Amino acid sequence: MSILSFNSDSDQPALTKFFVDELSDVLNAEKQLTKALPQMEMAATSPDLAKAFAEHLKVTQNQIARLERVFKIIGFSPKDKKCKGMEGLIAEGQAVIKDTEDGSATRDVGLIVSAQKVEHYEIAAYGSLRQLAKMTEKAEIAQLLEETLQEEKETDMLLSNLAESFINEDAKQVDG
């Protein structure tokens, strides 16, 4: 029997229970993010940043569908679990919006910082889950998780590029 055993036995190995729990956690994280991204888009000053948030919403919706596919493959239903990590990161992002001036480059800097914290959280989650799936020779699941991991890395890079190309400089000019 594989370390990750996806059958309907109620006596699952501890690692299988952990894997399903973590998949449930990241699924909830993505669902929370679909509610936060439109708020971030509306709060962004830069049209490029707003567009990045709008596009990432579509990517996130596809990631949710991919996670639901993983659950279907393993024959489990997601647990009803609130991702406290994402909840905290979203709260930090909402505080940035509340505590910065509407229409300011400083707000955009804060939104990028908040969004990159989210991306790094997701990169850690998907990287770990993908590795567990690879280790236990669950190739199809590992590939699906790898696709999402790469999308998260691309979003992180896009955010870095926006910050470095003009948003950070715009904020410096205003505050400088």
Side-chain angles (χ1 to χ4, degrees):
M1 179 151 100
S2 168
I3 293 173
L4 287 179
S5 174
F6 300 114
N7 57 37
S8 58
D9 292 347
S10 60
D11 189 29
Q12 291 293 320
L15 191 56
T16 299
K17 289 178 183 176
F18 175 78
F19 187 75
V20 170
D21 191 53
E22 289 301 305
L23 283 172
S24 297
D25 187 75
V26 78
L27 177 60
N28 180 267
E30 297 291 13
K31 287 180 178 180
Q32 287 184 55
L33 191 56
T34 63
K35 294 175 183 155
L37 283 167
Q39 296 169 350
M40 295 171 79
E41 177 187 358
M42 288 177 42
T45 302
S46 160
D48 291 333
L49 182 57
K51 182 181 174 189
F53 289 142
E55 288 175 0
H56 195 58
L57 176 59
K58 293 174 191 164
V59 170
T60 301
Q61 290 164 336
N62 289 333
Q63 292 169 345
I64 289 169
R66 199 175 292 134
L67 283 167
E68 289 169 345
R69 186 170 163 204
V70 168
F71 276 105
K72 192 172 208 167
I73 291 167
I74 63 176
F76 279 75
S77 295
K79 295 178 179 181
D80 186 20
K81 180 180 182 187
K82 181 92 161 179
C83 178
K84 293 178 184 173
M86 185 61 74
E87 186 176 43
L89 291 169
I90 289 171
E92 285 184 19
Q94 290 169 337
V96 164
I97 294 169
K98 181 179 170 245
D99 296 342
T100 56
E101 183 181 340
D102 186 26
S104 69
T106 300
R107 176 176 283 177
D108 283 353
V109 169
L111 287 169
I112 289 173
V113 169
S114 296
Q116 285 192 292
K117 287 179 181 181
V118 166
E119 294 310 313
H120 291 209
Y121 182 86
E122 292 176 316
I123 288 167
Y126 284 110
S128 298
L129 288 167
R130 182 224 38 210
Q131 189 56 36
L132 277 172
K134 283 172 82 172
M135 176 188 75
T136 58
E137 300 176 7
K138 305 294 182 195
E140 183 179 7
I141 295 169
Q143 181 55 42
L144 291 168
L145 296 169
E146 176 67 26
E147 287 176 44
T148 300
L149 176 60
Q150 291 309 313
E151 290 168 348
E152 301 298 2
K153 288 179 178 181
E154 288 168 16
T155 299
D156 181 52
M157 185 59 68
L158 171 65
L159 292 166
S160 289
N161 289 340
L162 286 172
E164 293 169 7
S165 64
F166 67 94
I167 291 176
N168 288 352
E169 192 60 36
D170 288 352
K172 179 180 171 190
Q173 295 302 321
V174 171
D175 290 340

